[in-house]
Amino acid sequence: MSPEGLPARIRALVVDDEPLARSNVVLLLRANPEVEIVGECGSAMECLEVIRQQKPDLVFLDVRMPEYDGFDILEMLGRDAPPAVIFVTAYDQYALKAFDTGALDYLLKPFNNARFARALERAKERIALRKSSSAKMDRLTIKSAGHVLFLATAEIDWIEAADYYASLHVGTKTHLLRRSMNDLEADLDPCLFCRIHRSTIVNLERVRELRFDSDGEYEVVLADATRLKLSRRYRKELQSRLGQSVPMKVPL
C-alpha cells in the first residue's frame, strides 16, 4: 500500500528504438490509473541501466533493436529481470522464443486497444501474485497422465527450457512443467538454484566442478557427471554463489 493507503501503482518502462512505437504504448498506459510510467528507452544500453536503477514491475520490450535484441537484454539482466515482460514487435517469428525466455505476452504490431488491455491485465495478475508471496516455494505440483505429483524442489538436479514447458531432471526421471524459466528462477530459492544459461537452471548442491570444454567454452559438471553449458554472462554470478569453492578445470 502507498502512504496514502491506496494500492501501489504498477511501475512500467517502455523500450523501443522507434519513438512513434514508444508513444503509442505510453498513450495506452497513461489511460490506466493503476500504472505509473517510470521511463522510456530508445536503446538497449539505456534500457539496461534504467531497469537496474528503477526496478520496474513491467517492461514493454521491443525485440529488434540496435546493439542488442530483447532476448540479449533479458539474458544480461538475469535475476534483475522485471517480474513481467511483454514483447512488442512487428515480427511474428520470435513468439516461441519469447515465451521460452519467460515473456508474459507477445504483442504483434499493429495491435488494437483490446489486445493491449488483455496483455496489461495479465501483467497486473502476475505482478500481484509475485508481491503477495515473498516466500520461495519448496515444492512443485506436476499434473500428468491422470495423477498429481508433489515434487520437493530440493530433489531437482537441473532444469532446462523445453518450448512452452520446463523440463525438470530428477535423477533418471524427467518431469514437464508448464512454467517459464524466468518464472521458475524468480520462485526458486536463490540459495539453492542458479541460472547458468538462458535455458538452464542448476541445483547448486549438485555442482561438482566448472571446466572448459575442448572448444574453450565453459561447462558445469554435476555430481552424476552431467555436463551443462555455462554462459559467460552467468559465470561470475555462479562462481559467486558457489563461494568460488568449486574448482575450474581445463582439459588436458
Side-chain angles (χ1 to χ4, degrees):
M1 303 289 284
S2 67
E4 296 79 12
L6 298 173
R9 292 197 292 172
I10 293 173
R11 306 176 72 253
L13 176 69
V14 181
V15 182
D16 200 307
D17 64 321
E18 297 180 4
L20 180 59
R22 290 200 308 273
S23 64
N24 287 340
V25 174
V26 168
L27 184 63
L28 290 170
L29 288 175
R30 283 178 177 162
N32 196 301
E34 299 175 53
V35 178
E36 173 190 358
I37 301 171
V38 298
E40 300 178 42
C41 297
S43 72
M45 297 308 296
E46 181 186 8
C47 160
L48 288 168
E49 182 179 353
V50 172
I51 288 176
R52 287 171 174 146
Q53 289 179 353
Q54 296 290 338
K55 300 188 183 303
D57 304 304
L58 169 63
V59 173
F60 288 85
L61 181 60
D62 188 17
V63 173
R64 293 178 62 173
M65 293 183 292
E67 300 171 320
Y68 301 103
D69 64 27
F71 305 111
D72 292 329
I73 290 171
L74 289 186
E75 185 170 349
M76 286 186 281
L77 286 171
R79 298 190 67 83
D80 292 331
V85 174
I86 296 175
F87 276 115
V88 184
T89 180
Y91 304 92
D92 60 2
Q93 67 264 37
Y94 300 111
L96 181 59
K97 187 177 181 181
F99 290 114
D100 187 39
T101 57
L104 175 66
D105 210 331
Y106 192 89
L107 286 177
L108 189 62
K109 304 174 187 176
F111 51 82
N112 57 34
N113 291 7
R115 178 67 182 88
F116 183 88
R118 289 198 301 272
L120 184 57
E121 283 304 311
R122 293 189 65 198
K124 290 177 182 179
E125 291 172 3
R126 172 177 286 188
I127 293 165
L129 181 62
R130 290 281 180 85
K131 289 182 176 181
S132 67
S133 177
S134 59
K136 298 300 180 181
M137 61 183 175
D138 57 6
R139 72 174 183 174
L140 295 167
T141 303
I142 301 171
K143 300 177 181 179
S144 176
H147 67 276
V148 179
L149 171 67
F150 299 102
L151 177 66
T153 56
E155 297 179 24
I156 300 171
D157 300 321
W158 62 286
I159 305 169
E160 67 177 328
D163 292 335
Y164 295 103
Y165 292 82
S167 181
L168 314 179
H169 295 267
V170 183
T172 59
K173 297 181 179 180
T174 301
H175 305 283
L176 288 177
L177 180 67
R178 194 174 179 83
R179 294 285 300 278
S180 74
M181 297 295 281
N182 280 11
D183 276 354
L184 284 172
E185 183 184 18
D187 289 340
L188 291 168
D189 186 348
C191 294
L192 188 60
F193 290 92
C194 183
R195 188 84 166 258
I196 64 169
H197 189 272
R198 176 184 291 173
S199 59
T200 314
I201 296 173
V202 296
N203 184 332
L204 294 172
E205 293 187 352
R206 306 295 196 272
V207 177
R208 186 177 69 190
E209 66 185 57
L210 308 181
R211 64 164 62 220
F212 293 109
D213 64 17
S214 58
D215 296 322
E217 298 295 326
Y218 297 102
E219 286 186 329
V220 175
V221 183
L222 304 186
D224 64 359
T226 296
R227 295 188 176 190
L228 304 171
K229 183 177 180 181
L230 170 61
S231 168
R232 292 176 184 269
R233 290 174 180 162
Y234 291 102
R235 181 169 62 90
K236 289 185 178 180
E237 181 178 355
L238 176 63
Q239 288 179 310
S240 175
R241 301 272 289 283
L242 291 169
Q244 297 183 336
S245 58
V246 176
M248 176 70 80
K249 296 187 177 182
V250 179
L252 299 175

